[in-house]
Amino acid sequence: RKEVEQDPGPFNVPEGATVAFNCTYSNSASQSFFWYRQDCRKEPKLLMSVYSSGNEDGRFTAQLNRASQYISLLIRDSKLSDSATYLCVVNTRAGGTSYGKLTFGQGTILTVHP
Amino acid sequence: GAGVSQSPSNKVTEKGKDVELRCDPISGHTALYWYRQSLGQGLEFLIYFQGNSAPDKSGLPSDRFSAERTGGSVSTLTIQRTQQEDSAVYLCASSIPQGAENIQYFGAGTRLSVL
């Protein structure tokens, strides 16, 4: 079983649609969680961190369920510019250290069309 | 300020040759990571440097791969006797690990093609 699993999609949605991505992780010791965005042939860039209480940044809402080891990303009012691959990322800190290692999911491809 | 810088941006080499890829992290970032991304695939962790600690080499796929980070700044990833399956984009990231947070900033990558 992969440490971080995502539905690879692709998701094809019209502009203005609401779309949700899901992600599960296997290591219950994981401490922090992120969504990264990767445009075609570009490097990944941080979209948002994911907090236990849930957090929102404009049209983007991220949720974390530690009990189920599940992370989600909701995009409202999709724009053409939202077309990208969305990477679910989990940080797991090695015991006794102050740092951790990120594990990336395979990514979910989103295409927003006119 | 300047982001993570990688060079070269593209590298074409012949099978069996050695290559060196360079990463210049964001100034002040103590952690540096190398990843590999094959076409249509996710990021594969290769190696991690944190300050003066011994690097985490657990992701290196074979002993043909090695990396150094001199002076706590610039890092070089070396692939010896390259094989066609080494063709991929090699991404470098740096961060300032703070507690549970570990936000990594990526360079644009080196696209390696082994003929």
Side-chain angles (χ1 to χ4, degrees), chain A residues 77-111:
Chain A
D77 188 23
S78 301
K79 310 291 185 192
L80 296 176
S81 56
D82 293 335
S83 297
T85 297
Y86 290 83
L87 301 167
C88 176
V89 184
V90 173
N91 182 43
T92 306
R93 200 183 334 174
T97 67
S98 62
Y99 56 89
K101 189 163 68 179
L102 294 187
T103 303
F104 288 76
Q106 290 285 92
T108 299
I109 299 171
L110 171 66
T111 301

Side-chain angles (χ1 to χ4, degrees), chain B residues 30-61:
Chain B
T30 56
L32 186 148
Y33 309 77
W34 284 99
Y35 298 88
R36 177 169 72 175
Q37 188 172 33
S38 301
L39 187 63
Q41 300 297 310
L43 274 74
E44 175 189 1
F45 166 78
L46 297 178
I47 188 169
Y48 163 52
F49 296 90
Q50 166 60 28
N52 296 321
S53 303
D56 178 347
K57 304 180 182 180
S58 59
L60 294 178

Side-chain angles (χ1 to χ4, degrees), chain A residues 47-64:
Chain A
L47 177 66
M48 60 195 302
S49 301
V50 187
Y51 302 117
S52 296
S53 54
N55 49 298
E56 190 173 304
D57 182 1
R59 297 180 294 108
F60 299 84
T61 300
Q63 296 278 353
L64 167 65

